[in-house]
Amino acid sequence: MWAGIKREGRGSDLGLLVSDEARPAAAVFTTNALNGAHIAVCREHLERSGGLVRAIVVNSGNANCATGERGIENARRTAAAVAERLGCPTEQVLPISTGAIGAHLPMDKILAALPELCEALSPDSAAEFARAIMTTDTHPKVESAEFGAGRATGIAKGAGMIHPDMATMLGFLLTDFAVPAAELPALTRRVVDRSFHRISIDGDTSPNDTVVLWSGGAAGSSGIEELATHLEEVAGRLCRQVAADGEGASRLMTIEVRGAASEAEAAKVGRVIATSPLVKTAVAGRDPNWGRILSAAGRAGVAIDVQKAKVWIGAERVYEDGDPYPEREQEAWRHLNENREVVLGIDLGVGDGRADVWTCDMTADYVRINADYRT
Amino acid sequence: MWAGIKREGRGSDLGLLVSDEARPAAAVFTTNALNGAHIAVCREHLERSGGLVRAIVVNSGNANCATGERGIENARRTAAAVAERLGCPTEQVLPISTGAIGAHLPMDKILAALPELCEALSPDSAAEFARAIMTTDTHPKVESAEFGAGRATGIAKGAGMIHPDMATMLGFLLTDFAVPAAELPALTRRVVDRSFHRISIDGDTSPNDTVVLWSGGAAGSSGIEELATHLEEVAGRLCRQVAADGEGASRLMTIEVRGAASEAEAAKVGRVIATSPLVKTAVAGRDPNWGRILSAAGRAGVAIDVQKAKVWIGAERVYEDGDPYPEREQEAWRHLNENREVVLGIDLGVGDGRADVWTCDMTADYVRINADYRT
């Protein structure tokens, strides 16, 4: 719903997820030293409730970050207002914020809107929730997979300030399978490491990043391995949606890194390539400028054998064994020009570590969106 | 002169510096694992000549990088052709390249042009040389200081792919004071650490970065301390020119970091802020979005006390002791809007380490320049 946190006409800004009863949840938060006010409150609530969550309330349009003690108090008041309506303890409500940094939440508007929000809940609220958490996203992001007697559903927002280790991203992974509270934190970490930590829009992490994994019970139990596999699949699809919807993006880029000394080094190189403005602007210009890919890999600080390395764009190996192949660039250009999802790959020539990282190209629109964000 | 490496009408692409006799020089090269072919050849020549240099020949328009053995051979041939004309050993000539990665040098054009280049030398060649090494620079960059009986002169190129630890930057520091060859490497490193390593355009280092410090003798000797001070001053001014001429830039940004645990941590935070696309696009939009400055500092991985931190834009402290001051943002906006040189500052609140880092804003033109670089 629109509570008036965003300007009128800019869309919904307050969303709510409610469970029939308090259910186990776990969360992963930003690694940024600056933390949105909700992070301290969420940690405190999860600890006091023993990881049981009844509701998650999210506002967009204001990050409630760099707002001091008053910001923390405002997050607590938001949770308390929802808890009162639902008749549950305050610590069973997680309040989460996303948006611009450095302004206090308009508490009068939020408190005035919450009663209607709590009334309006329906089984279809996931779609409405996905819309309410959007900032510069161009569309809501929901993914789902059914297996066994239940399902896994993911909802995310994020289109800028996105980088591994949690960026301006909110992700909600829901399953109606029961998971013991004790097993949830490790499961959450595992799923996030292989999904949300593999995307980057601009290398800027945000102070508010939060992913919550919330389990249910209606579908009974599931093997943890099977559940993890499905959650990773759903989270991976969400992440590709997030990368494809990067601010101003015209291309979803998959960076394939092969032949690294380890998976960790492969992921590191992938992130450096995925955050290189020169690589990202080249793709925006459909320029198969593989020299920038090789050069970005060269500054990643990991082992690379330049004489054995290979670089490919789509199916074309434009650099191989120390030599450029300019005659293959026409096909590489065609790959960049004709597909909305493109592949840039590099083999470092030193081992068998591999990882894929997702990002988007950097267009003049990225600059316009971020130059004018608060105006 | 124009040798035909760049397309016609895109300016001069071949430049030469010659000394009356072989003189001591030292160089600092890129830290990128990918190296332009000239770097191996320059290292080899400096070693074989005992650090004595008679000439430096630079081409723009082609980086001679990722070009394998043939690239190395082409750099050697260029040096040999100049040495033959000047009647000196080949190892006294440093061949240097800058431009696009991954194409072989057009040796026929270069070899055909060198005789005329060697003839055309005059005492004013520094200005012509500064023009010849330009790639996306909008103007040649020369700085000079006279002191004692002599002077220090700096010439640089670079407008993108620029980041500490040597970026697509070529820098030439010349002095007619005599410096013993044994003292030159340490002097070069010291000057570069306090100048070229403190600027960043986009965080992308280049495989070709090279700074050469070349001493003379006509002015006699100078104390090393005094010479270092003047060279740092000249190099610092060159660096601000480079940052101000960043691709598409409309603002020269000085990032002032104070209150860090050490100078090294201050410089690190400065570089993270200077490479944050969100900070740089905000300045392009004249948005005093200090939350992005604080957030970038928060992900730098250094000690920060968010409650004691301060952020300023121009003279306005827009964040102080945990609280935002939105009423000061109008003046901060005015600072960004009315000045071509702007200041963003942060005090981390944990010590007395300090450093200034220079960069430029990121505009839609940055994207256009880099999307269309090879077209």
Side-chain angles (χ1 to χ4, degrees), chain B residues 184-327:
Chain B
L184 268 179
L187 179 63
T188 308
R189 172 60 65 183
R190 166 178 167 177
V191 171
V192 168
D193 276 346
R194 293 191 180 161
S195 54
F196 292 100
H197 286 173
R198 293 267 171 100
I199 56 178
S200 179
I201 301 294
D202 50 21
D204 267 309
T205 61
S206 131
N208 283 40
D209 305 328
T210 300
V211 172
V212 179
L213 172 55
W214 198 6
S215 65
S221 291
S222 160
I224 282 282
E225 281 302 315
E226 191 185 2
L227 182 57
T229 303
H230 283 90
L231 286 169
E232 283 169 21
E233 169 62 25
V234 166
R237 278 192 266 138
L238 267 184
C239 288
R240 286 188 287 277
Q241 276 204 43
V242 169
D245 195 30
E247 290 169 344
S250 74
R251 292 291 180 268
L252 168 63
M253 297 160 58
T254 299
I255 314 297
E256 298 177 346
V257 183
R258 304 292 180 259
S262 66
E263 182 180 340
E265 292 208 347
K268 188 174 177 192
V269 168
R271 282 186 211 116
V272 170
I273 295 171
T275 52
S276 160
L278 289 170
V279 172
K280 290 155 70 75
T281 52
V283 172
R286 316 297 177 237
D287 179 1
N289 195 332
W290 54 268
R292 293 181 179 176
I293 301 170
L294 193 59
S295 181
R299 70 173 161 91
V302 308
I304 172 171
D305 182 335
V306 174
Q307 291 309 307
K308 285 191 195 160
K310 298 171 188 22
V311 177
W312 56 94
I313 295 173
E316 293 301 311
R317 288 204 173 169
V318 282
Y319 176 81
E320 199 166 7
D321 302 327
D323 281 313
Y325 289 86
E327 67 277 16

Side-chain angles (χ1 to χ4, degrees), chain A residues 33 204 276 278 287 298-299 374, chain B residues 33 161 204 276 287 298-299 374:
Chain A
D204 267 309
S276 161
L278 289 171
D287 178 2
R299 71 173 162 90
R374 302 198 310 172
Chain B
M161 224 189 202
D204 267 309
S276 160
D287 179 1
R299 70 173 161 91
R374 302 199 310 173

Side-chain angles (χ1 to χ4, degrees), chain B:
Chain B
M1 71 177 294
W2 178 65
I5 307 167
K6 293 179 182 170
R7 289 189 209 164
E8 195 158 8
R10 297 223 171 169
S12 174
D13 56 19
L14 201 59
L16 184 67
L17 290 175
V18 176
S19 179
D20 54 342
E21 54 184 282
R23 298 287 189 182
V28 177
F29 299 105
T30 184
T31 56
N32 199 302
L34 178 67
N35 276 9
H38 81 251
I39 290 177
V41 176
C42 284
R43 286 191 203 279
E44 177 189 301
H45 283 196
L46 284 169
E47 189 171 326
R48 279 172 44 202
S49 73
L52 292 178
V53 171
R54 179 77 197 284
I56 298 175
V57 56
V58 180
N59 77 274
S60 56
N62 183 321
N64 189 17
C65 179
T67 45
E69 270 308 311
R70 187 171 145 200
I72 303 257
E73 201 41 54
N74 284 340
R76 284 202 189 101
R77 285 173 67 199
T78 306
V82 171
E84 189 181 355
R85 282 271 147 187
L86 298 177
C88 70
T90 298
E91 60 263 30
Q92 289 183 0
V93 178
L94 301 182
I96 296 176
S97 297
T98 180
I101 298 169
H104 291 295
L105 287 177
M107 288 309 295
D108 48 343
K109 292 175 181 172
I110 290 174
L111 296 177
L114 282 177
E116 189 191 325
L117 188 67
C118 292
E119 302 287 300
L121 279 177
S122 80
D124 299 329
S125 337
E128 168 54 22
F129 179 82
R131 273 190 297 276
I133 65 177
M134 289 165 57
T135 51
T136 53
D137 307 64
T138 66
H139 59 82
K141 299 175 179 75
V142 182
E143 289 284 354
S144 195
E146 294 195 30
F147 61 102
R151 68 164 65 212
T153 297
I155 306 167
K157 62 92 28 178
M161 224 189 202
I162 285 179
H163 193 61
D165 298 324
M166 292 291 98
T168 296
M169 167 136 47
L170 302 179
F172 302 91
L173 299 171
L174 315 172
T175 178
D176 48 6
F177 288 107
V179 183
E183 296 191 30
L184 268 179
L187 179 63
T188 308
R189 172 60 65 183
R190 166 178 167 177
V191 171
V192 168
D193 276 346
R194 293 191 180 161
S195 54
F196 292 100
H197 286 173
R198 293 267 171 100
I199 56 178
S200 179
I201 301 294
D202 50 21
D204 267 309
T205 61
S206 131
N208 283 40
D209 305 328
T210 300
V211 172
V212 179
L213 172 55
W214 198 6
S215 65
S221 291
S222 160
I224 282 282
E225 281 302 315
E226 191 185 2
L227 182 57
T229 303
H230 283 90
L231 286 169
E232 283 169 21
E233 169 62 25
V234 166
R237 278 192 266 138
L238 267 184
C239 288
R240 286 188 287 277
Q241 276 204 43
V242 169
D245 195 30
E247 290 169 344
S250 74
R251 292 291 180 268
L252 168 63
M253 297 160 58
T254 299
I255 314 297
E256 298 177 346
V257 183
R258 304 292 180 259
S262 66
E263 182 180 340
E265 292 208 347
K268 188 174 177 192
V269 168
R271 282 186 211 116
V272 170
I273 295 171
T275 52
S276 160
L278 289 170
V279 172
K280 290 155 70 75
T281 52
V283 172
R286 316 297 177 237
D287 179 1
N289 195 332
W290 54 268
R292 293 181 179 176
I293 301 170
L294 193 59
S295 181
R299 70 173 161 91
V302 308
I304 172 171
D305 182 335
V306 174
Q307 291 309 307
K308 285 191 195 160
K310 298 171 188 22
V311 177
W312 56 94
I313 295 173
E316 293 301 311
R317 288 204 173 169
V318 282
Y319 176 81
E320 199 166 7
D321 302 327
D323 281 313
Y325 289 86
E327 67 277 16
R328 298 175 187 171
E329 291 189 18
Q330 179 66 20
E331 272 308 306
W333 170 83
R334 198 186 308 276
H335 173 73
L336 296 180
N337 197 50
E338 294 180 359
N339 299 288
R340 169 130 189 126
E341 302 190 4
V342 302
V343 172
L344 310 184
I346 185 164
D347 188 311
L348 304 181
V350 294
D352 55 10
R354 49 189 290 153
D356 288 352
V357 172
W358 305 295
T359 187
C360 58
D361 59 340
M362 179 185 280
T363 65
D365 281 340
Y366 172 85
V367 175
R368 274 189 286 272
I369 290 165
N370 281 295
D372 302 338
Y373 182 51
R374 302 199 310 173
T375 59

